[in-house]
Amino acid sequence: MDRAGVIRMLSGDGRHFNHHRHGRSTGNARAMPLCMAGTGEAVRVVGIWARGGLARKLADMGLVPGAEIRLVNRQGAGPVLIDLKGSRLALGRGMAMKIMVEEV
């Protein structure tokens, strides 16, 4: 499935962006997981679907709501490479799926 198809599927009824059991929501129908953004695309973090240690680790790296990042590389099933304030970070695909972003 291509990126547009995934975004259509996820934005259909809004349930996919609401995590009712934990009370988390991005509140933005245009949000998508970081690994769905296009290479070279600038995006803004709108939400993090992680708790505990992972949420703290991402926050310590500067990946918090409102942070603007650029996707440098996302080839295959390997890590996702991003540019955050001039620093390059490599994130595992699982981590990248928990970071919800919107196009800038």
Side-chain angles (χ1 to χ4, degrees):
M1 182 179 299
D2 67 340
R3 177 178 166 204
V6 171
I7 291 172
R8 274 194 307 274
M9 177 188 73
L10 294 177
S11 62
D13 60 7
R15 289 182 306 176
H16 297 280
F17 290 122
N18 294 318
H19 206 293
H20 298 291
R21 189 175 67 180
H22 299 293
R24 295 179 299 197
S25 171
T26 63
N28 189 336
R30 297 178 312 175
M32 64 185 156
L34 174 60
C35 62
M36 295 299 295
T39 300
E41 188 174 349
V43 294
R44 178 179 303 115
V45 176
V46 294
I48 305 290
W49 280 9
R51 297 187 329 194
L54 179 56
R56 194 171 18 263
K57 182 176 183 173
L58 292 172
D60 289 345
M61 286 191 278
L63 290 166
V64 294
E68 292 189 13
I69 57 180
R70 186 176 58 85
L71 188 66
V72 176
N73 195 356
R74 63 171 180 98
Q75 292 181 351
V80 175
L81 186 61
I82 63 170
D83 182 329
L84 173 68
K85 298 179 184 176
S87 297
R88 293 213 172 171
L89 301 172
L91 304 173
R93 192 154 301 269
M95 289 174 112
M97 286 296 291
K98 295 176 186 217
I99 301 169
M100 302 305 292
V101 298
E102 68 181 358
E103 295 177 5
V104 176

